[in-house]
Amino acid sequence: MRIRIQYRLFLALLAASGLAVFGMFFIMQWSIDRGFLQYVNTLEQSRLERLAAGLEEAYAARGSWAFLRDDPAEWLRLMLRTLPEGSLTPEQRERLEKRLERRAEQGRLPRPEGRLPGPAHRFESRVLLLDADGSRILGPGGAGADLPRTPLRHDGTVVGSLILLPQKELSDVHQLRFVQQQKLALALVGLVVLLISTLLSLLLARRLVRPIQLLATATRQLAGGAYATRVPTVSGDELGQLARDFNALALTLEKNETARRQWVADISHELRTPLSVLRGEIEALQDGIRQPTAEAIASLHTEAMRLGRLVDDLYQLAVSDLGALSYRKEKTDFTALLREALASVRPRFADKGLTLKEELPAADLRLFADPQRLHQLLANLLENTLKYTDAPGEARVSLQAEKATAVLRIDDSPPGVPEEAWTRLFESLYRVEGSRSRTTGGAGLGLAICRNIVQAHDGSITAGPSPLGGVRITITFPLEKMP
């Protein structure tokens, strides 16, 4: 049978609380028994000191211990005087003394060498009186040789000693009743604490499991495609951090789903245009509206080539997004590579009426990079500048070293792009209306491929306004460390 985590957590908390309560109960019970017994022995030690003081006074008045043998009632009178103040009322004390007198007259008191009547646990039955030689005068015999002695002195001389046999367990009715009451009170306290712990454990288990239940429900909704699902974050602990991480994941999935749908829509739109043109021209040839002339076949070839370039760009972008583009990095002279790329496109710039200027450093700037991918990057960027710069116009390419990086800037003259489009120029299939068209431009995939190539070389690429009035593309690459 599967037990829900809420009940498992509740049982764990309850078990911990129960063990703590029972452990506390048994420890306190042991402490009460031991501590109260020590307390009773301490009180009896005080009573023994009072008995010693009374015996010293009696010995000083009589000069020997013979009075105890001659008058056994005196020993009991001394015992009565050691009782704490308030333990007996004057009337009770007087009645006890008269009872002792009657027993003494009747000869019912024990001889000095015997043990006093009464239970063995009573104070009177556990006091041993010894003379100066250590011989027993009164009290139980055969015990107490190794116990501490309380000396009895007269004129600075030890005339005897007292030994108190300690209690090893409680046996007095009043003492036992008191201890039982304390244990009962402790048991009631433990029961109340256990009940409170049970209630708190149940509430705490529900409170701890509630966020987990919300996360489980939200996870099922997210798995079902409801990417707008969010969970509330009301705490700053680990569960709150888990909720925030879940919301971040849901937001990322929602953005990815939106991007996927936009991607499918854009791809469909991009493919529809050349396919529609091809179908229209082929149907015109089939219907005899157009003749299969060289111009008609050339138009079909142009649309087929445009469709082929679009498919090639899509493939290049797909493999670069997956990181599947192969890179063969080596030490590369970026300055020489850029100079070759500029030389190859300079005639085309001149044919369109664009002036191409370059500002290259005299020294070589070496990168650890793939020369073929860098050439593809430069070709895409320069082709983009050539297509989207109006004639007459100007393009300027500069390369310089800044700290440990090579910085490449490509500026062109109008038209520029709106400020809100700067960060989106490197998105797949993105077009800036008015400055790009499908007839003169591509599908908006070139800059996305450029971004992936730059990132694969641990560089960065950004777009912004150009001093020439158009767009500035800025690329940074880490320079190769020289030995």
Side-chain angles (χ1 to χ4, degrees):
M1 181 180 64
R2 187 182 65 176
I3 302 178
R4 296 175 58 184
I5 187 173
Q6 176 180 346
Y7 299 126
R8 282 188 286 176
L9 184 59
F10 165 69
L11 293 176
L13 294 174
L14 183 59
S17 301
L19 289 176
V21 170
F22 284 118
M24 180 188 68
F25 174 77
F26 288 113
I27 291 175
M28 291 299 297
Q29 185 180 26
W30 173 82
S31 178
I32 288 176
D33 290 337
R34 181 179 178 85
F36 191 72
L37 183 59
Q38 292 178 350
Y39 172 73
V40 170
N41 287 328
T42 301
L43 291 180
E44 290 186 342
Q45 191 65 35
S46 301
R47 188 177 178 185
L48 184 68
E49 294 175 357
R50 291 195 295 271
L51 177 60
L55 287 172
E56 287 177 346
E57 293 178 0
Y59 184 91
R62 294 171 175 82
S64 69
W65 298 115
F67 71 95
L68 292 177
R69 297 185 179 90
D70 299 337
D71 186 10
E74 184 64 21
W75 174 253
L76 296 179
R77 294 189 193 98
L78 291 173
M79 288 291 181
L80 289 176
R81 295 169 189 166
T82 62
L83 292 174
E85 293 292 335
S87 60
L88 293 176
T89 64
E91 293 78 7
Q92 290 175 335
R93 189 180 297 273
E94 184 179 357
R95 285 197 301 269
L96 285 175
E97 290 180 353
K98 289 181 179 180
R99 187 181 302 171
L100 289 175
E101 294 293 340
R102 287 194 302 269
R103 289 190 176 186
E105 293 175 357
Q106 297 172 0
R108 295 170 56 188
L109 291 177
R111 301 307 301 168
E113 64 274 10
R115 186 178 61 84
L116 290 178
H121 67 272
R122 298 188 62 176
F123 176 79
E124 296 84 356
S125 303
R126 293 183 287 107
V127 175
L128 177 63
L129 174 61
L130 306 176
D131 60 14
D133 297 331
S135 300
R136 181 171 62 88
I137 300 174
L138 284 174
D146 56 343
L147 295 176
R149 301 183 179 186
T150 302
L152 303 175
R153 291 182 172 85
H154 177 63
D155 293 335
T157 303
V158 176
V159 296
S161 59
L162 286 175
I163 296 177
L164 177 63
L165 303 178
Q167 291 193 71
K168 296 183 179 180
E169 59 181 11
L170 297 176
S171 54
D172 184 77
V173 175
H174 301 290
Q175 295 173 358
L176 291 174
R177 184 181 299 116
F178 174 79
V179 172
Q180 291 298 327
Q181 290 174 351
Q182 298 304 311
K183 290 182 178 180
L184 179 60
L186 182 61
L188 291 176
V189 171
L191 181 60
V192 172
V193 171
L194 187 59
L195 291 176
I196 295 176
S197 300
T198 302
L199 180 60
L200 292 179
S201 298
L202 182 59
L203 295 177
L204 183 60
R206 288 182 177 178
R207 181 176 179 83
L208 291 177
V209 172
R210 179 61 179 169
I212 299 177
Q213 292 175 338
L214 292 177
L215 281 170
T217 302
T219 302
R220 289 191 292 269
Q221 294 175 352
L222 191 64
Y227 298 112
T229 303
R230 301 292 186 273
V231 293
T233 56
V234 294
S235 63
D237 55 8
E238 289 81 357
L239 289 176
Q241 183 60 45
L242 180 61
R244 288 189 288 272
D245 293 341
F246 176 87
N247 291 338
L249 173 63
L251 179 61
T252 301
L253 292 177
E254 185 179 16
K255 290 182 178 179
N256 290 341
E257 177 63 15
T258 302
R260 184 190 66 83
R261 293 178 179 178
Q262 184 64 38
W263 170 268
V264 173
D266 291 342
I267 291 298
S268 301
H269 186 68
E270 293 294 334
L271 293 175
R272 185 183 298 113
T273 300
L275 288 175
S276 297
V277 172
L278 282 173
R279 186 179 65 182
E281 293 191 4
I282 292 174
E283 289 177 351
L285 291 174
Q286 290 176 337
D287 296 338
I289 299 175
R290 296 186 61 183
Q291 299 299 317
T293 61
E295 291 79 6
I297 295 175
S299 177
L300 292 175
H301 181 265
T302 300
E303 294 300 329
M305 291 298 295
R306 185 177 299 162
L307 183 60
R309 286 195 301 269
L310 175 58
V311 173
D312 290 340
D313 288 345
L314 287 173
Y315 175 75
Q316 290 290 330
L317 179 61
V319 295
S320 63
D321 283 339
L322 294 173
L325 281 178
S326 59
Y327 290 90
R328 298 180 180 179
K329 296 183 180 181
E330 59 187 37
K331 292 182 180 181
T332 304
D333 184 356
F334 193 39
T335 305
L337 193 65
L338 179 58
R339 188 176 288 110
E340 293 176 3
L342 292 174
S344 63
V345 297
R346 191 178 299 277
R348 298 177 59 195
F349 272 76
D351 293 341
K352 190 178 178 180
L354 301 177
T355 302
L356 180 60
K357 298 181 179 180
E358 60 183 53
E359 297 176 3
L360 305 182
D364 296 338
L365 297 183
R366 295 191 175 275
L367 309 178
F368 185 69
D370 185 336
Q372 297 298 325
R373 295 302 175 190
L374 289 185
H375 187 273
Q376 180 183 3
L377 167 69
L378 296 174
N380 284 346
L381 292 175
L382 294 174
E383 185 71 22
N384 190 75
T385 301
L386 177 63
K387 289 179 179 178
Y388 303 121
T389 304
D390 294 341
E394 178 183 350
R396 183 186 305 163
V397 179
S398 65
L399 177 65
Q400 57 186 352
E402 295 182 1
K403 296 182 179 180
T405 60
V407 181
L408 172 65
R409 295 183 178 90
I410 301 177
D411 295 284
D412 58 32
S413 55
V417 297
E419 182 177 353
E420 61 271 11
W422 292 342
T423 58
R424 301 193 60 192
L425 285 179
F426 304 100
E427 295 181 5
S428 304
L429 304 174
Y430 178 74
R431 296 176 182 275
V432 180
E433 297 300 331
S435 64
R436 297 185 179 187
S437 65
R438 291 184 181 86
T439 304
T440 59
L445 299 174
L447 290 180
I449 297 175
C450 291
R451 176 199 58 195
N452 292 341
I453 294 176
V454 171
Q455 291 177 351
H457 288 82
D458 299 325
S460 64
I461 182 169
T462 57
S466 171
L468 301 180
V471 178
R472 165 177 284 185
I473 302 295
T474 304
I475 302 174
T476 61
F477 287 119
L479 290 172
E480 170 71 11
K481 296 181 179 179
M482 300 302 292

